[in-house]
Amino acid sequence: MTGTPRPGAPRPRRLRLVPRTLRTRLVVGTLVLLVLACAAAGAASSLLLERFMVERLDQQLYMTAGRFAESLAHEEREEHEHGDPRNPHGERGDSRGQAPGTLGVLVRDGEAGEPAVVGRDDPVLSAKDRRTLAAVPADGLGHTVDLSSGGLDDYRVMAVGNDDGELLVTGLPLDDVRATVQRLQMAEIGVFAVVVLVTGIAGAVWVRLSLRPLERVAATARRVARLPLADGEVALPDGVPDEDPRTEIGQVGEAFNRMLGHVGRALAHRHASEQRMRTFAGDASHELRTPLATVRAHVQLARRDEAAVPGGVRHALERIDAESARMGTLVDDLLLLTRLDAGRPLAREEVDLTRLAIDATGDARAYGPDHRWRLDLPEEPVIVPGDPDRLHQVVANLLGNARAHTPPGTTVTVALRSRIPDPPGPDGVELTVTDDGPGIPEDLQGEIFERFVRADKARARASGGSGLGLAIVKAVVAAHGGTVDVESRPGRTAFRVMLPDA
């Protein structure tokens, strides 16, 4: 019993009878129509030629109808009266003026007599063939009969009656008609084969030339599809050359150029907006650092003499100091993201990721004693080129994210290993931070690395965050030429960072 294929199972390949490309479809369709037209023309010409030649035979039979058969009847009467035939040449019937192969038969009382054929020995017909000849109606019209005995074949026969009530059947062979029609068909097959071959080659060249404008549209579309349109400045390729707008391909090219112009203007507007936003974020972050430092300095100055400060004021100063520190961290994160977006180069030196993972996990253990922290590291140090401070920030942000968004008792594992990618390519280093917490909602996994995105609905939180930690992770990893992704389900969330190997 055959069942429905399960989802995700590879579908069996099916033979495609319809060509894929438009060019092939046009050429094949034209050739199929041409073959059908040639077949129809050949069949019609063969039928018309056969009918014409058969009509000529009917005319010839009509002109000589009964004369040869009448001579046979006269000869039989003389033989009956005199006892021997009066034929010095040894041939039956009067064959003068008769074409070779002419058949003559006398039908008397519904019985066909012995036939005679001009230029040949008298054949011996079977009873079936005799009945066939006897059944020919005396209507003065030609009829086609198939005589299978006596070395005969298809004949065109005509029957006429005489004064004695006898039927005089005269026939002419259809061999010449069949041979002529066959020669015509063979000639048509040869001519049509050459015509189809030449038409196929010329049609393929013509279709290729006609579809060149469409190929230019497809090539431009492929170049656009290869461009990274998600962010940054995008230089779109030139549009396709202008074609005659009265043609279908010209209308497609005109619409494509118009669409390309709209996309280019939208991308330029988006890039300008991004640049303004980055400039504003950078300027605002830079300008806020000085006031924040001043506020913290005044708070620390006011807290020097705590005895003179009332308890309520002291608590307010502590809150001001804590929030200003938090705001300073946010400003520093925004300034870092702005610099990374601007493409400013990072430091490049050899970084021991093994030591970095150990230090970051030790710090996380101190900040989150209620969690279980584990390390899964190789025996040999893993070295990568990069900025040690920024890479430390990547690991620290991933561990801080796991600590902040999972409940106490969650196990967080930091794993590090060298990895050979599949398919083969440049070697890399894989750093994973895995926890067995509640997980991230599926609808948030695609945007978890965007700025100011939080997974508060999915994970328990002990404290608030800025929503920039994972955005910084993605930006720093991208600046190092790597990638970061996440796989999450209830009970397992894994952030995976891939970095190029030294």
Side-chain angles (χ1 to χ4, degrees):
M1 181 176 179
T2 303
T4 304
R6 67 180 185 275
R11 296 183 178 179
R13 292 187 177 181
R14 297 180 180 177
L15 180 63
R16 292 184 61 90
L17 299 179
V18 180
R20 291 180 179 272
T21 63
L22 177 61
R23 180 191 309 165
T24 307
R25 289 184 180 184
L26 290 175
V27 175
V28 171
T30 302
L31 292 181
V32 169
L33 293 177
L34 180 60
V35 169
L36 294 178
C38 290
S45 60
S46 299
L47 291 175
L48 291 176
L49 176 63
E50 184 177 9
R51 179 175 297 180
F52 172 75
M53 296 187 69
V54 169
E55 289 178 354
R56 292 286 301 273
L57 286 180
D58 291 345
Q59 293 177 1
Q60 188 174 350
L61 287 173
Y62 183 79
M63 296 296 297
T64 61
R67 189 169 60 187
F68 182 48
E70 179 65 27
S71 68
L72 291 176
H74 179 69
E75 187 176 292
E76 287 185 3
R77 283 192 292 270
E78 287 185 349
E79 181 181 358
H80 179 72
E81 294 174 358
H82 300 285
D84 59 337
R86 306 294 178 88
N87 190 351
H89 301 289
E91 293 183 356
R92 296 182 61 215
D94 184 6
S95 61
R96 292 173 298 175
Q98 303 295 329
T102 302
L103 172 70
V105 177
L106 176 65
V107 180
R108 181 183 295 117
D109 298 330
E111 296 289 337
E114 292 295 331
V117 179
V118 176
R120 293 177 54 181
D121 295 337
D122 293 343
V124 178
L125 297 181
S126 63
K128 178 182 178 181
D129 290 342
R130 290 175 181 272
R131 288 194 299 270
T132 300
L133 292 174
V136 175
D139 53 5
L141 301 177
H143 300 275
T144 301
V145 296
D146 183 12
L147 305 177
S148 58
S149 61
L152 303 179
D153 202 350
D154 293 346
Y155 262 76
R156 190 73 175 178
V157 297
M158 182 179 293
V160 295
N162 59 9
D163 296 337
D164 298 330
E166 300 170 332
L167 288 181
L168 309 176
V169 180
T170 307
L172 290 173
L174 292 173
D175 295 342
D176 292 341
V177 176
R178 300 285 190 264
T180 303
V181 173
Q182 289 179 357
R183 286 195 297 271
L184 174 64
Q185 291 175 345
M186 296 302 297
E188 288 177 339
I189 291 175
V191 172
F192 290 161
V194 174
V195 170
V196 171
L197 178 62
V198 173
T199 303
I201 297 175
V205 174
W206 176 256
V207 170
R208 184 179 183 87
L209 294 176
S210 300
L211 292 182
R212 275 186 177 179
L214 194 59
E215 291 179 354
R216 289 194 290 267
V217 174
T220 304
R222 286 193 294 268
R223 290 197 299 271
V224 174
R226 288 193 294 265
L227 294 175
L229 305 179
D231 54 14
E233 186 175 6
V234 180
L236 293 177
D238 296 334
V240 297
D242 293 335
E243 299 290 340
D244 188 356
R246 293 173 296 181
T247 64
E248 289 81 358
I249 296 180
Q251 295 172 6
V252 171
E254 183 181 9
F256 182 79
N257 289 340
R258 192 161 54 247
M259 181 192 68
L260 204 60
H262 295 331
V263 172
R265 286 190 292 272
L267 291 176
H269 180 71
R270 186 213 64 192
H271 180 65
S273 299
E274 289 179 351
Q275 288 298 105
R276 288 194 296 269
M277 182 60 67
R278 289 170 182 171
T279 302
F280 169 76
D283 294 343
S285 301
H286 183 73
E287 293 296 331
L288 286 174
R289 297 180 74 181
T290 300
L292 286 174
T294 303
V295 169
R296 296 194 65 187
H298 283 289
V299 169
Q300 292 174 3
L301 180 62
R303 294 177 59 189
R304 280 188 177 182
D305 190 4
E306 294 185 356
V309 178
V313 176
R314 186 184 309 113
H315 177 72
L317 292 175
E318 290 175 355
R319 294 305 305 151
I320 292 174
D321 189 22
E323 292 301 321
S324 60
R326 181 171 176 272
M327 190 172 182
T329 302
L330 177 61
V331 169
D332 291 339
D333 291 344
L334 286 174
L335 190 58
L336 173 62
L337 287 173
T338 303
R339 290 173 177 174
L340 292 175
D341 290 341
R344 295 186 183 181
L346 300 176
R348 299 289 289 182
E349 59 182 81
E350 290 187 353
V351 180
D352 185 354
L353 276 185
T354 307
R355 172 55 56 186
L356 190 147
I358 294 173
D359 294 342
T361 305
D363 296 339
R365 184 177 290 111
Y367 283 109
D370 294 335
H371 288 66
R372 291 190 294 269
W373 305 93
R374 293 180 180 178
L375 287 171
D376 181 10
L377 305 177
E379 296 181 359
E380 298 295 330
V382 177
I383 307 299
V384 296
D387 188 324
D389 294 333
R390 300 283 78 84
L391 291 177
H392 183 277
Q393 188 174 10
V394 167
V395 182
N397 284 5
L398 292 176
L399 294 177
N401 181 76
R403 183 187 72 253
H405 299 287
T406 57
T410 302
T411 299
V412 183
T413 303
V414 180
L416 184 65
R417 66 188 179 97
S418 298
R419 179 175 180 272
I420 299 177
D422 184 21
D427 296 344
V429 174
E430 183 181 80
L431 171 71
T432 58
V433 176
T434 308
D435 67 70
D436 56 0
I440 304 173
E442 186 176 354
D443 56 344
L444 287 178
Q445 293 181 23
E447 57 184 19
I448 195 68
F449 293 101
E450 301 298 327
R451 298 173 190 183
F452 302 108
V453 174
R454 296 175 176 175
D456 300 349
K457 298 179 181 179
R459 298 186 173 197
R461 293 174 51 95
S463 61
S466 64
L468 296 177
L470 294 181
I472 291 176
V473 169
K474 179 180 178 181
V476 172
V477 171
H480 283 80
T483 60
V484 59
D485 56 45
V486 62
E487 294 179 1
S488 181
R489 65 175 185 272
R492 186 180 185 278
T493 298
F495 287 88
R496 182 178 60 180
V497 176
M498 285 295 301
L499 294 172
D501 198 350

